[in-house]
Amino acid sequence: MALLLLGGLILATMSLVSIARADIRLTDAAGREVHLQQPAKRIVTNDSLVLLSLALVDPQPISKLAGWAAPQRFDRGLYDAFHRRFPEIDDIVVVGAVSPANSSVEAILAAQPDLFVISIWQPDWEAIATKLEAAGVPVIFLDSPRNKGQTAGEVTMASIRLLGRAIGQEARAEAFAAFLKVHYDRIAQRLEGVKTQPRDTWPQLLIDAHAGLQCCSIPGADNPITHDLAFVGGRVLGADIVPGYDGQLSPEYVLAADPRIYIGTGGSHLAKRGGLVLGAGIEPEAARASLRAVVRRNLLGELSSVREGRAYGLSHQVAISALNILAVECLAKWTHPDLFADLDPAQTLAEINQRFLAAPVEGTFWIDAGPVAGPSTP
C-alpha cells in the first residue's frame, strides 16, 4: 500500500510538472500579457503570410494553421511549393479578412482556434481580441504602434520569437532570430560611415509599388519599406510629402526629381493586369521581361536610372513577410553597390531554405532590368 501511495504521489508530481511546463505566459507586440495553458495547436490568423513565419519555426506548419484570412496574399507559386509538401494546405479554412471591418468573431470561433494571431495591426482588432478572449481564445498581436521606429529586423525577430514561444518552438525561433541578427548587424556595421552623413545626401529611390499600374504609388513616411530603405542609407522619393502608409506621385513629379534608382514592387497577382510579375516559380527571364515592359510605360523610360541600368524589381511579398531580410539585402546592394559588392541575397535564401523553411521556396524574388533603351509611352 505504501508503495502504491508513493507511486501515485510520483505520478501526480510528474503531472503537475508537465502542466507547469506547458503553461505559457508572454508579452505580445502590443504590450499585452497573454496566457496559454499549452502550446497552440490550432492557430487562426488575420494574415495568410503568417504561414511563412510558422514554416520558419515548425517542421509541420500546416498542422498548426486551422484558419487564415486573405489567402490571395500568399503568392500562388509559394502556395504550390507548400502544396507539394503539404497537400493539406487546401483544407485551411478561410476566415474573414486582413481588416477587422471585414471579419467576424463568429467566423473565427467557427474554426475552433486555441490561438488567434493578429499580424497586421489596426485599432478595431483590439475590440475583436477582447471578444475572442471572453470566449476563451487567447490572442497575440505580432504588430502594433509600438513597432514604430524599430527596424524590420527588430520587428521580425520579436514576432518570430513570440510565435515560437506560442507553439512551443522556442529553440527553432531563437535560431532564426540569431540568423537574422547576424545579417542585419553586418549591414548596419558597413553603413556606419554613411549614417554619419546628412540624410539629404543619401541616394534617393523611387519605390514604384504595384509597378506597371498607375504611376506612381509609393510607400509613405510610416510604411515599413520606407523604414527599410532608411536602415540601408537611402531615401524614398516623395515619402517626405506623403504621410501615412502610402500615396501617389504624378509621372511629371517623378521625372522632375529623376531619382538615382528605380525599384518596382510586384508579384504574380499582377500578371493579369500587365504589372510586374515575379515570385515563386517565376523564371528570371520572364521576370526581367516583365520589368523591362513596366519601365517602358508611364514615361519611366525617361528616367536616368532606367536608361543607365539602375532599375530593379522586388517581390512585394518578400518585403512584407518574415523573409524581409532578402528585401533589405537587395535594397542595401542596390543603394550602395560598392559597399555591398559581396552581399548575396541568393545565398541568404539558400541558407534559409536549407536550415529553416519547412517548404523551401524557389523562384525570382528580385531582378535587374539592365539598361533599357527605346521610347517610353505615357
Side-chain angles (χ1 to χ4, degrees):
M1 179 63 69
L3 288 174
L4 286 173
L5 289 172
L6 179 60
L9 181 60
I10 291 172
L11 286 173
T13 302
M14 291 175 64
S15 177
L16 287 172
V17 170
S18 175
I19 291 172
R21 286 178 179 172
D23 189 77
I24 298 171
R25 295 181 185 273
L26 50 82
T27 303
D28 71 5
R32 301 163 61 258
E33 298 296 323
V34 181
H35 175 216
L36 285 75
Q37 293 184 347
Q38 61 182 0
K41 297 179 180 178
R42 289 186 60 82
I43 291 174
V44 174
T45 178
N46 74 328
D47 182 11
S48 57
L49 290 180
V50 165
L51 176 54
L52 277 176
S53 299
L54 281 172
L56 288 164
V57 299
D58 193 297
Q60 297 293 325
I62 303 299
S63 69
K64 299 288 194 304
L65 197 56
W68 59 3
Q72 69 274 11
R73 281 170 54 83
F74 201 76
D75 179 278
R76 187 66 212 187
L78 284 179
Y79 190 100
D80 292 341
F82 273 79
H83 188 273
R84 286 191 289 272
R85 184 159 295 195
F86 306 108
E88 61 271 26
I89 191 174
D90 290 342
D91 300 327
I92 299 175
V93 176
V94 178
V95 295
V98 171
S99 66
N102 297 316
S103 302
S104 73
V105 172
E106 292 75 17
I108 294 168
L109 291 175
Q112 300 181 317
D114 56 11
L115 177 66
F116 186 65
V117 175
I118 297 172
S119 176
I120 300 176
W121 184 88
Q122 292 182 39
D124 288 346
W125 278 119
E126 293 175 343
I128 291 180
T130 299
K131 292 178 182 178
L132 289 172
E133 288 171 334
V137 178
V139 177
I140 62 172
F141 284 76
L142 301 182
D143 180 36
S144 87
R146 289 178 170 225
N147 287 345
K148 187 175 181 178
Q150 296 185 47
T151 67
E154 290 168 337
V155 172
T156 304
M157 284 185 274
S159 66
I160 285 291
R161 287 182 173 120
L162 269 173
L163 202 57
R165 286 196 63 199
I167 65 173
Q169 292 284 4
E170 296 96 328
R172 293 175 69 94
E174 192 56 46
F176 185 65
F179 170 85
L180 288 179
K181 189 174 189 309
V182 168
H183 283 256
Y184 276 99
D185 284 352
R186 177 175 59 177
I187 293 171
Q189 288 163 7
R190 292 197 190 181
L191 287 166
E192 287 177 353
V194 173
K195 294 296 185 71
T196 63
Q197 302 300 314
R199 193 183 185 95
D200 60 6
T201 66
W202 296 358
Q204 191 174 60
L205 293 79
L206 170 62
I207 306 293
D208 185 12
H210 316 295
L213 307 185
Q214 183 180 3
C215 177
C216 291
S217 178
I218 66 159
D222 293 336
N223 194 296
I225 295 179
T226 302
H227 301 159
D228 289 346
L229 195 54
F231 175 74
V232 303
R235 296 175 295 145
V236 172
L237 174 67
D240 56 338
I241 60 173
V242 176
Y245 190 81
D246 57 13
Q248 197 80 18
L249 297 179
S250 69
E252 293 76 16
Y253 182 93
V254 171
L255 290 176
D258 197 24
R260 176 166 179 74
I261 299 163
Y262 169 89
I263 298 176
T265 71
S268 59
H269 65 288
L270 294 179
K272 294 182 179 179
R273 304 175 66 186
L276 176 60
V277 178
L278 70 176
I282 305 296
E283 294 296 328
E285 295 78 9
R288 180 170 287 111
S290 171
L291 176 59
R292 290 171 71 86
V294 162
V295 296
R296 285 194 174 102
R297 297 200 294 273
N298 297 321
L299 303 178
L300 293 173
E302 305 301 320
L303 295 174
S304 59
S305 57
V306 173
R307 297 195 311 269
E308 296 168 9
R310 297 187 303 276
Y312 307 95
L314 180 65
S315 164
H316 188 76
Q317 186 154 88
V318 163
I320 63 173
S321 73
L323 298 179
N324 57 15
I325 181 57
L326 302 172
V328 171
E329 288 191 345
C330 287
L331 292 175
K333 194 175 183 71
W334 297 336
T335 306
H336 301 283
D338 294 335
L339 268 181
F340 295 102
D342 62 334
L343 188 59
D344 188 357
Q347 184 178 350
T348 302
L349 176 58
E351 188 173 354
I352 290 172
N353 277 332
Q354 181 184 9
R355 293 182 55 194
F356 301 108
L357 273 174
V361 298
E362 298 176 344
T364 306
F365 301 96
W366 55 89
I367 198 71
D368 67 277
V372 178
S376 180
T377 60

